[in-house]
Amino acid sequence: MPTLLDVIAVLDQLYDPSWADDWDAVGTVAGDPEAEVRTILFAVDPVQAVADEAVLVGADLVVTHHPLYLKGTTSVAATDPKGRVIHTLLSNGIALHTCHTNADSPPLGVSESMAEAIGLRDIRPLDDDLDAGPDKWVVFAPVDVADEVATAMHDAGAGHIGDYDRAQFQSRGTGSFRPLDGATPAIGEVGAVEYVDEVRIEMVAPRRLRDQVRRAMVRAHPYEEVAYDLIETAASPSGRGSGRIGVLDEPMSLWAFAENVKASLPHHSGATRIAGELDREVRTVALCGGSGDFLLARADAAGADVYVTSDLRHHPVSEHRERPGACAVVDVPHWAAEWTWLPVAAREVRARLGGTVETHVSTIVTDPWSATLS
């Protein structure tokens, strides 16, 4: 039986916490890492109705998209709604874990799940996230200690490329230097030019390991002043990114497309709003699960016929529509768009744990809007 720690490891593999925005609050909110997990409930919002449902289905863990405490708190007393959620969960032995902005951008994340739910194909990120390229290290060392220096750098994490580690390139040459007054050279004498058979060592390492690779290299190197180059390589696409863009199998009118979007999302009481000519042909679709007005211009520039997202404001959409040839816009309820991620996350977690856990997807509508007047 997997523990909470085992489940979190799978969630972190799918939705790495390092991908979260710096303002966000993701990760485990409550629970014992060593507790066994048999049943997991997936939901959008950590509200009381979801906590009560978790008790009803016998869940050991609730995974939500939205954080319970996005800002800091000094109390989890049951005298307020959030505190009551915590008390309900903990008093029934139920843990709580959040995957928020770290689940927005990756494959199998919120926007990709939404794109698949509305029937897009050839899906790709609308705005690519780039992974920082590795550092390239070039170090010059005397021949008799070159392997020792390289080994120290490898032990610090350098030289890993794909499914290979301890990768390096060495070439030999002659280095020269003249120690000045105050120097204590490992080789040569003050005031005299020294020529040394040296090895040029080249390897790569992740930027996050820069300090520890440098420390390891300096500790292993005999020279008082180590000669080395540190080169930042170009960033590369990560496979993650904000929003998604894809195409429909068959073009349709904007009105028909909006109807299809509404039918593809879970039942809700919110409005599905359309900005654009209703008979306009739609084939290329851009979208962003959740609040996505920051990608409106990007969707237009990418050649989308329509952009689908939530929480759009009057003025940005009005100004967008004034531009000749601007893409149409469909605004859907925030909760409904993000709900599409729940069955995907539940399926992946269950599969990666070898079917050893039972998963439930909450169908409680936690959208705050209870009705729409037409």
Side-chain angles (χ1 to χ4, degrees), residues 189-351:
E189 299 178 355
V190 171
V193 175
E194 185 73 21
Y195 294 89
V196 182
D197 289 336
E198 293 185 334
V199 174
R200 175 187 171 110
I201 307 165
E202 302 180 50
M203 64 180 72
V204 296
R207 293 188 193 182
R208 59 183 171 79
L209 300 181
R210 181 176 294 180
D211 288 341
Q212 64 194 66
V213 171
R214 181 188 283 111
R215 286 194 298 269
M217 179 261 293
V218 170
R219 280 197 300 266
H221 205 292
Y223 284 178
E224 186 176 26
E225 299 291 343
V226 181
Y228 69 93
D229 297 326
L230 177 59
I231 304 163
E232 291 187 356
T233 63
S236 59
S238 66
R240 304 183 310 276
S242 297
R244 290 295 186 270
I245 188 168
V247 296
L248 298 167
D249 283 328
E250 297 293 338
M252 61 182 71
S253 70
L254 176 60
W255 177 261
F257 172 75
E259 288 187 315
N260 178 66
V261 169
K262 183 177 180 180
S264 300
L265 300 181
H267 174 74
H268 55 81
S269 298
T272 298
R273 302 183 296 175
I274 305 171
E277 297 77 19
L278 300 183
D279 60 352
R280 172 181 185 151
E281 184 176 275
V282 169
R283 179 67 182 272
T284 301
V285 179
L287 58 83
C288 180
S291 302
D293 59 358
F294 69 102
L295 287 174
L296 183 54
R298 178 72 186 122
D300 208 27
D305 299 311
V306 63
Y307 179 53
V308 187
T309 192
S310 305
D311 304 332
L312 290 170
R313 295 168 294 148
H314 172 90
H315 292 294
V317 177
S318 176
E319 292 168 5
H320 168 77
R321 292 295 303 150
E322 289 296 313
R323 301 210 328 265
C327 67
V329 178
V330 174
D331 183 280
V332 299
H334 189 122
W335 170 85
E338 293 183 331
W339 183 94
T340 59
W341 168 71
L342 304 183
V344 174
R347 179 194 72 208
E348 291 299 316
V349 169
R350 185 173 61 251

Side-chain angles (χ1 to χ4, degrees), residues 26-367:
V26 302
T28 303
V29 181
D32 178 357
E34 300 304 321
E36 290 186 345
V37 174
R38 299 175 179 83
T39 304
I40 307 172
L41 176 67
F42 289 80
V44 175
D45 297 297
V47 295
Q48 189 62 44
V50 169
D52 293 340
E53 183 182 15
V55 175
L56 185 64
V57 302
D60 304 297
L61 168 65
V62 177
V63 177
T64 63
H65 182 51
H66 292 150
L68 179 65
Y69 292 105
L70 188 55
K71 299 179 180 179
T73 185
T74 59
S75 172
V76 293
T79 52
D80 67 56
K82 292 180 183 292
R84 283 197 299 276
V85 168
I86 288 291
H87 275 260
T88 299
L89 295 176
L90 291 184
S91 63
N92 287 278
I94 304 170
L96 176 62
H97 187 87
T98 297
C99 300
H100 192 210
T101 53
N102 53 318
D104 283 338
S105 64
L108 304 172
V110 174
S111 287
E112 186 165 296
S113 299
M114 183 181 171
E116 291 179 349
I118 65 176
L120 300 189
R121 59 176 175 82
D122 300 333
I123 301 168
R124 63 189 188 278
L126 178 58
D127 190 24
D128 280 308
D129 289 347
L130 298 179
D131 277 339
D135 287 335
K136 179 179 179 181
W137 291 85
V138 180
V139 184
F140 301 88
V143 172
D144 60 342
V145 297
D147 287 341
E148 182 180 341
V149 171
T151 297
M153 295 174 70
H154 285 149
D155 289 344
H160 192 105
I161 303 175
D163 294 330
Y164 297 83
D165 67 0
R166 300 191 173 266
Q168 63 167 312
F169 181 82
Q170 291 190 1
S171 55
R172 295 183 65 158
T174 302
S176 67
F177 51 84
R178 184 174 69 174
L180 303 177
D181 289 342
T184 54
I187 300 174
E189 299 178 355
V190 171
V193 175
E194 185 73 21
Y195 294 89
V196 182
D197 289 336
E198 293 185 334
V199 174
R200 175 187 171 110
I201 307 165
E202 302 180 50
M203 64 180 72
V204 296
R207 293 188 193 182
R208 59 183 171 79
L209 300 181
R210 181 176 294 180
D211 288 341
Q212 64 194 66
V213 171
R214 181 188 283 111
R215 286 194 298 269
M217 179 261 293
V218 170
R219 280 197 300 266
H221 205 292
Y223 284 178
E224 186 176 26
E225 299 291 343
V226 181
Y228 69 93
D229 297 326
L230 177 59
I231 304 163
E232 291 187 356
T233 63
S236 59
S238 66
R240 304 183 310 276
S242 297
R244 290 295 186 270
I245 188 168
V247 296
L248 298 167
D249 283 328
E250 297 293 338
M252 61 182 71
S253 70
L254 176 60
W255 177 261
F257 172 75
E259 288 187 315
N260 178 66
V261 169
K262 183 177 180 180
S264 300
L265 300 181
H267 174 74
H268 55 81
S269 298
T272 298
R273 302 183 296 175
I274 305 171
E277 297 77 19
L278 300 183
D279 60 352
R280 172 181 185 151
E281 184 176 275
V282 169
R283 179 67 182 272
T284 301
V285 179
L287 58 83
C288 180
S291 302
D293 59 358
F294 69 102
L295 287 174
L296 183 54
R298 178 72 186 122
D300 208 27
D305 299 311
V306 63
Y307 179 53
V308 187
T309 192
S310 305
D311 304 332
L312 290 170
R313 295 168 294 148
H314 172 90
H315 292 294
V317 177
S318 176
E319 292 168 5
H320 168 77
R321 292 295 303 150
E322 289 296 313
R323 301 210 328 265
C327 67
V329 178
V330 174
D331 183 280
V332 299
H334 189 122
W335 170 85
E338 293 183 331
W339 183 94
T340 59
W341 168 71
L342 304 183
V344 174
R347 179 194 72 208
E348 291 299 316
V349 169
R350 185 173 61 251
R352 293 176 187 227
L353 288 170
T356 57
V357 296
E358 182 181 351
T359 58
H360 295 268
V361 172
S362 177
T363 56
I364 296 174
V365 179
T366 55
D367 189 297

